[in-house]
Amino acid sequence: MGAFTVEVSIVGAGLVGSLLTCFMARRGHAVTLYERRPDPRRAGAERGRSINLAISERGIDALRRVGLDEVVLDAALPMPGRMMHAVDGELTFQPYSADRDRAINSIGRAGLNRTLLDAAAALPGVRLCFDHRLTSMDADSGRMVFQTPGDPGTVTATAPVIIGTDGAFSAVRAAMQGRPGFDYSQEFLDYGYKELVIPPAPDGGFAMDPGALHIWPRGHSMMIALPNPDRSFTCTLFWPKADFASLTTPERITELFAERYPDALALMPGLSDDYLRNPTGHLVTIRCAPWVVPGGAAITALAGDAAHAILPFYGQGANCGFEDCVELDRCLAETGDDFAAALPLYQERRKRNADTIAELAQANFVEMRDKVASRMFLAQKKVEHA
Ligand code: FAD
């Protein structure tokens, strides 16, 4: 295979687009990666947007294939199990595996994105275009129009291969949707999410055990917390939207936390400020097909959340997007880098996996908020009766 065999445009430099750029460039393709935001390696992270992620072996395997597993794991905190918090403060540790070395890893989203972008930028043939928002696209000709800052405010580009990794509300997918036969569904949960912080303890250490994913299951809602390397925890509330809407004053916020999460309240000095300032995010499952649309002069495909946005309750959205990159790389290897053959093969192999994880993520919400609590309750009962 010669250098820069095919010109590939990837739209969206989040986790999946940045990793996919690494895979494509390592195969010798010339990749232009477009991103609507400014370069996140210079600008700060967005407030309140999933600060950390649980990355499992599925995601680590993808990172290993581009030589980034060690650098990413060095900055990660392993979580070999979940720590359940009862209302009375009782803690129950439930290991994820009998083998304590098998853990999921708490990883900062912004740091991971920066690592992936640095790795992509260091590869030959890669061009990064920040502040480029795709506004329209013709899947037939491969013509893309981007909004950019300053004069004239738009940039036009074409490419024979376009891959949309521009997230759940993908502009690339929107351009494909206009085609006859394109199936699309989006299902919003009547729950939202909000991020809060448990800062380091006064002695500078972690305020809770950093070797666990913490869960406060409360039947119809829950809170989780993942540790960060700076010794803080990022907490995420998963509540019915109506609960968020009804809680608007510092007094009511403190009252409700005292009722539902008394042990956490004691560790959250900035609770009301964080709660009132941080946005409430939506939770959506998006399914679509096909993921690949051949046009006259171009072929367009989707990967990551653009192809399959899932609920976060299995902690598998990014992991699943990383697996897309591995599979696409494999399909290119098997087809001699013939994108017209490799992309449909990639879709065939990945689509049913993505549909399955979407279902599992929906089911795991009930498991996490409800059943782990009842199991914990039963375990406590057993201890009481022993
Ligand atoms: P995104 O991360 O959404 O990136 C898309 C990129 O495209 C962004 O940079 C965006 O700015 C850019 N973009 C968008 N539109 C345009 C446009 N028109 N033009 C140019 N660029 C554009 N997954 C896990 O594996 N583990 C977890 O623990 C986990 N926890 C989660 C917790 C929460 C609360 C949520 C909401 C999600 C969680 N996920 C988790 C899922 C994970 O965040 C997503 O699956 C992952 O971010 C998808 O990556 P992506 O690159 O496909 O999309």
Side-chain angles (χ1 to χ4, degrees):
M1 186 172 49
F4 310 143
T5 322
V6 177
E7 279 185 28
V8 180
S9 283
I10 298 180
V11 182
L15 300 179
V16 176
S18 312
L19 180 65
L20 189 60
T21 299
C22 295
F23 274 102
M24 294 296 105
R26 286 164 66 97
R27 301 199 64 76
H29 301 298
V31 185
T32 307
L33 177 60
Y34 296 98
E35 167 59 45
R36 71 178 171 191
R37 295 173 301 166
D39 188 340
R41 294 169 300 171
R42 294 197 194 110
E46 283 172 83
R47 188 179 172 86
R49 196 193 170 235
S50 173
I51 290 178
N52 51 23
L53 302 147
I55 298 295
S56 67
E57 175 53 28
R58 290 167 185 275
I60 300 297
D61 172 66
L63 295 168
R64 196 175 290 124
R65 288 165 191 264
V66 293
L68 291 176
D69 54 325
E70 285 183 11
V71 63
V72 171
L73 285 176
D74 273 354
L77 289 160
M79 301 179 294
R82 54 191 181 194
M83 186 73 82
M84 313 305 301
H85 293 243
V87 181
D88 64 6
E90 176 105 27
L91 299 178
T92 313
F93 182 77
Q94 300 173 347
Y96 285 126
S97 160
D99 177 358
R100 288 278 307 202
D101 287 341
R102 296 185 64 186
I104 53 173
N105 301 280
S106 176
I107 293 178
R109 178 190 287 273
L112 177 57
N113 209 161
R114 282 197 296 270
T115 301
L116 292 169
L117 282 171
D118 279 341
L123 288 164
V126 170
R127 201 160 64 93
L128 304 181
C129 301
F130 294 101
D131 290 308
H132 278 60
R133 175 194 290 267
L134 183 77
T135 52
S136 68
M137 186 194 125
D138 176 19
D140 214 35
S141 63
R143 183 174 181 272
M144 298 166 282
V145 180
F146 297 93
Q147 187 185 61
T148 54
D151 227 14
T154 55
V155 167
T156 304
T158 54
V161 175
I162 299 170
I163 306 179
T165 51
D166 49 346
F169 301 101
S170 166
V172 175
R173 190 186 61 228
M176 294 159 83
Q177 259 169 261
R179 301 212 144 201
F182 191 93
D183 285 335
Y184 170 75
S185 76
Q186 67 178 30
E187 203 181 323
F188 280 93
L189 201 64
D190 54 358
Y191 280 69
Y193 75 93
K194 187 186 283 287
E195 294 203 327
L196 303 169
V197 180
I198 292 182
D203 68 359
F206 284 101
M208 302 186 296
D209 182 351
L213 191 159
H214 293 258
I215 308 182
W216 290 256
R218 296 294 180 260
H220 76 298
S221 69
M222 68 171 174
M223 179 166 83
I224 66 167
L226 273 70
N228 295 311
D230 68 0
R231 296 175 185 230
S232 66
F233 283 82
T234 302
C235 304
T236 311
L237 299 172
F238 293 103
W239 285 0
K241 285 181 182 162
D243 284 13
F244 281 120
S246 67
L247 200 61
T248 51
T249 64
E251 298 72 30
R252 275 294 299 134
I253 295 165
T254 312
E255 255 172 50
L256 191 132
F257 272 67
E259 222 172 82
R260 276 191 202 170
Y261 319 110
D263 60 338
L265 174 64
L267 309 173
M268 300 170 106
L271 170 65
S272 301
D273 277 357
D274 282 349
Y275 182 95
L276 293 171
R277 206 163 31 186
N278 288 350
T280 304
H282 300 287
L283 297 167
V284 66
T285 303
I286 291 177
R287 295 184 177 86
C288 69
W291 291 0
V292 180
V293 168
I299 184 161
T300 308
L302 300 171
D305 277 17
H308 47 72
I310 64 175
L311 300 180
F313 303 117
Y314 233 116
Q316 285 297 338
N319 285 295
C320 190
F322 283 4
E323 283 188 314
D324 291 349
C325 302
V326 172
E327 192 58 60
L328 183 46
D329 185 55
R330 189 179 290 129
C331 293
L332 284 166
E334 286 176 22
T335 57
D337 286 81
D338 175 359
F339 279 86
L343 286 169
L345 189 59
Y346 144 79
Q347 169 189 259
E348 190 190 313
R349 291 180 181 171
R350 288 298 299 153
K351 169 73 176 142
R352 61 201 146 114
N353 285 297
D355 286 343
T356 303
I357 193 70
E359 277 170 36
L360 289 172
Q362 283 173 331
N364 209 42
F365 183 35
V366 180
E367 159 80 15
M368 281 176 86
R369 70 174 196 210
D370 212 348
K371 293 197 183 143
V372 279
S374 16
R375 209 178 294 148
M376 178 173 65
F377 178 71
L378 287 175
Q380 279 164 8
K381 283 277 168 216
K382 269 193 217 141
V383 172
E384 278 166 26
H385 290 116

